[in-house]
Amino acid sequence: MSTLIQSYEQQYSVLTADITSKIGRLKSSNEDDREQLSRQIQANFEEANDLLEQLELEYRGSGSGSRVAAYRAELQRVREEYRSVASNNATYNIDPDEYEDWSMVNEQRQRLLDNTETLERTGKTLTEGYRVVLETEQIGAAVLNDLSSQRETIQRSRGRLRETDEQLNRSSRLMNNMVMRALQERFILGAVALALAVLTAVAVYFYVT
């Protein structure tokens, strides 16, 4: 889905750059060309709106931060520039060969170039931001994998500790049994020794008497 978002953003950047270029051509075109350019520009605006709607849907589906609002603001600025150019008919009806004040034309062309450069910088900034987002996602995925691996290690360690504890309990019970048996054997040996001593004393007594 991230690849689709990137594709829509690239299409939008190319489309807005095309619209800006056509607006620049609209300023020095004749009446017939101006009508054709106007229709093309309006169709491009509709296509750009459709792209932004698709892009907004993809952003919602991905759950990531959306840049559609910034794109819409930029598109609205370009649309206002087109309306300003389209409404200034008197300027565009003048033959460029007979135009005496070229300073205004140069100023408009310079503004168009500035707008194009701004769009290019914006596109580069968006691309860089997208790259940072991808790197952040990759780092987050790596961290999650590490945490998952550490969790499995901790779980295995807990299992080994439980097994060791059970073995220690069995060893403790075995040692207790061995101690009890040793005490029993000592008691039996003591009883036997006592009985032998009693028997010996009785035998000596009868022998003497």
Side-chain angles (χ1 to χ4, degrees), residues 2 68-70 88 98 101 107 112 119 136 159 162 164 183 206:
S2 298
V68 175
N88 195 3
E98 298 177 358
D101 189 3
E107 182 181 354
L112 176 61
L119 285 174
T136 303
R162 285 194 294 268
T164 303
L183 291 175
F206 282 108

Side-chain angles (χ1 to χ4, degrees), residues 28-206:
S28 58
S29 62
N30 55 41
E31 185 175 356
D32 294 336
D33 292 340
R34 187 164 56 252
E35 291 179 358
Q36 182 179 1
L37 284 172
S38 296
R39 288 194 296 270
Q40 293 176 358
I41 291 172
Q42 291 173 4
N44 290 150
F45 276 127
E46 293 178 359
E47 185 178 353
N49 284 327
D50 293 339
L51 271 176
L52 291 181
E53 290 178 359
Q54 292 294 329
L55 187 59
E56 187 171 12
L57 291 176
E58 292 299 327
Y59 270 122
R60 290 178 182 175
S62 65
S64 58
S66 175
R67 294 188 288 267
V68 175
Y71 291 149
R72 290 191 185 280
E74 180 66 19
L75 186 63
Q76 181 62 29
R77 185 191 62 77
V78 177
R79 189 189 300 274
E80 290 174 357
E81 181 179 359
Y82 163 69
R83 290 173 179 173
S84 176
V85 171
S87 64
N88 195 3
N89 293 328
T91 300
Y92 304 129
N93 288 330
I94 298 176
D95 189 352
D97 296 333
E98 298 177 358
Y99 194 78
E100 297 178 355
D101 189 3
W102 286 99
S103 61
M104 182 178 295
V105 175
N106 292 331
E107 182 181 354
Q108 292 173 348
R109 289 179 178 175
Q110 185 62 42
R111 186 166 62 250
L112 176 61
L113 291 175
D114 293 339
N115 292 336
T116 303
E117 292 176 356
T118 300
L119 285 174
E120 291 177 354
R121 288 195 299 269
T122 302
K124 292 179 180 179
T125 301
L126 292 174
T127 302
E128 182 66 19
Y130 180 74
R131 184 185 63 80
V132 172
V133 170
L134 288 181
E135 291 178 354
T136 303
E137 290 179 353
Q138 293 175 355
I139 293 173
V143 171
L144 290 176
N145 290 332
D146 291 339
L147 291 175
S148 178
S149 177
Q150 292 176 4
R151 180 181 179 183
E152 292 177 357
T153 302
I154 292 173
Q155 289 177 347
R156 288 195 297 269
S157 299
R158 288 179 178 176
R160 294 193 187 98
L161 287 175
R162 285 194 294 268
E163 293 176 358
T164 303
D165 186 59
E166 292 176 356
Q167 292 176 358
L168 288 175
N169 290 333
R170 287 195 295 269
S171 299
S172 178
R173 289 194 297 270
L174 182 59
M175 289 295 297
N176 290 334
N177 292 333
M178 292 175 64
V179 170
M180 291 298 296
R181 289 179 182 177
L183 291 175
Q184 290 175 357
E185 290 176 356
R186 289 184 180 181
F187 177 77
I188 293 172
L189 288 174
V192 171
L194 180 61
L196 288 176
V198 172
L199 291 175
T200 301
V202 171
V204 171
Y205 173 75
F206 282 108

